[in-house]
């Protein structure tokens, strides 16, 4: 396994001459999220304005006990959509790193997780990983964090199996494969994440604009990490 510095250098080399495409690839999900928020926010604002002027409606809202469930459901949907976008983006950087892809097509590659054999599997992976991680976190925070690192390679493994065999692997088998693949490497990935703390601080100082460049850098580095893992597990 290469050092964190070497993995980062691989990521930078793979992004050389592609930073503009990478930034746009990272920006696509953000723009879509903003658009969805606007679509939802405007009708919601109108509804609240009407409700405010209707005391009976206000009382109905106060007596409604399903708010927590709705919020939880929204969180699940948000997590699934994020997984669909991030899986496609991660696979793109992996292909660039491997040399099987030479250019980034932002408006196409951002939606790779939504297509063909990938869609259903990514959704199930997102749901099961969230459930498993949450259950482990109920024991204590640390086990939940450890398990999140154990399951972190699931989307890469799912992608590789489909592209190599043309068949969908079992979702539980994919999660198990990730857990085995990360045996002895969870600490390595943890320290790799820690090495980006300084960059996170700088990105936050730019009011978040710096993440347009930082996120591709991190995601490409994670792809380089996966590529270095021994696959004979």
């Amino acid at each position: 396994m290469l050092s964190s510095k070497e993995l980062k250098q691989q990521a930078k080399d793979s992004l050389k001459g592609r930073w503009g495409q990478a930034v746009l690839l990272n920006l696509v999900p953000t723009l879509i999220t903003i658009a969805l928020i606007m679509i939802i926010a405007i009708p919601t604002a109108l509804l609240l304005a009407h409700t405010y002027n209707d005391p009976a409606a206000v009382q109905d809202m106060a007596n409604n006990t399903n708010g927590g469930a709705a919020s939880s459901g929204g969180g699940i949907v948000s997590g699934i959509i994020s997984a669909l976008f991030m899986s496609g983006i991660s696979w793109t950087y992996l292909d660039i790193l491997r040399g099987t892809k030479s250019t980034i097509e932002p408006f196409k590659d951002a939606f790779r997780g939504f297509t063909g054999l990938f869609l259903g599997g990514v959704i199930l992976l997102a749901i099961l990983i969230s459930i498993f991680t949450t259950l482990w976190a109920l024991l204590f925070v640390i086990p939940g964090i450890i398990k999140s690192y154990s399951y972190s390679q699931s989307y890469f493994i799912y992608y590789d199996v489909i592209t190599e065999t043309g068949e969908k692997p079992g979702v539980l088998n994919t999660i198990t494969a990730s857990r085995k693949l990360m045996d002895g490497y969870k600490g390595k990935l943890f320290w790799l994440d820690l090495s980006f703390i300084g960059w996170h601080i700088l990105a936050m100082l730019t009011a978040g604009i710096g993440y347009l460049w930082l996120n591709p850098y991190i995601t490409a580095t994670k792809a380089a990490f996966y590529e270095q893992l021994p696959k004979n597990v």
Side-chain angles (χ1 to χ4, degrees):
M1 171 66 72
L2 298 177
S3 66
S4 295
K5 181 178 180 180
E6 291 170 324
L7 291 172
K8 289 180 176 180
Q9 187 58 53
Q10 278 197 350
K12 287 187 285 188
D13 290 343
S14 69
L15 291 170
K16 188 175 182 180
R18 302 184 179 95
W19 279 104
Q21 299 169 343
V23 168
L24 190 54
L25 177 62
N26 185 62
L27 189 58
V28 168
T30 303
L31 293 176
I32 291 174
T33 300
I34 292 173
L36 289 174
I37 290 174
M38 293 298 295
I39 291 171
I40 295 171
I42 293 175
T44 301
L46 293 174
L47 176 62
L48 288 175
H50 171 73
T51 301
Y52 181 76
N53 293 313
D54 186 348
V58 172
Q59 185 61 42
D60 288 342
M61 291 180 66
N63 293 332
N64 188 354
T65 59
N66 294 323
S71 177
S72 176
I76 293 174
V77 172
S78 175
I80 290 173
I81 294 174
S82 176
L84 287 166
F85 277 121
M86 285 309 302
S87 58
I89 291 172
S90 297
W91 300 339
T92 298
Y93 293 131
L94 182 63
D95 288 343
I96 292 290
L97 187 72
R98 289 172 168 173
T100 58
K101 185 176 176 66
S102 59
T103 59
I104 297 173
E105 302 171 270
F107 295 101
K108 179 181 178 181
D109 293 334
F111 295 95
R112 294 177 74 181
F114 291 82
T115 60
L117 296 174
F118 301 115
L119 177 61
V122 171
I123 291 174
L124 288 176
L125 281 173
I127 293 173
L128 290 180
I129 289 173
S130 176
I131 291 173
F132 293 160
T133 304
T134 300
L135 290 176
W136 279 102
L138 291 176
L139 297 177
F140 199 63
V141 175
I142 300 301
I145 294 174
I146 292 173
K147 286 301 177 180
S148 70
Y149 279 97
S150 293
Y151 307 146
S152 62
Q153 308 306 305
S154 298
Y155 299 102
F156 283 125
I157 294 171
Y158 192 78
Y159 174 70
D160 271 349
V161 173
I162 288 180
T163 53
E164 290 171 8
T165 68
E167 298 181 359
K168 295 173 64 173
V171 174
L172 288 175
N173 291 338
T174 301
I175 294 174
T176 299
S178 176
R179 178 176 54 78
K180 292 180 178 179
L181 190 62
M182 286 299 288
D183 281 347
Y185 293 96
K186 291 184 286 292
K188 176 73 175 177
L189 184 55
F190 175 74
W191 287 113
L192 180 61
D193 283 336
L194 285 182
S195 70
F196 285 104
I197 286 180
W199 288 108
H200 282 292
I201 294 173
L202 288 175
M204 287 187 286
L205 290 176
T206 64
I209 296 175
Y211 278 106
L212 290 175
W213 287 267
L214 179 57
N215 284 341
Y217 182 26
I218 293 175
T219 308
T221 303
K222 295 291 185 69
F225 175 87
Y226 169 75
E227 186 66 0
Q228 285 292 310
L229 290 171
K231 305 304 190 293
N232 57 340
V233 293

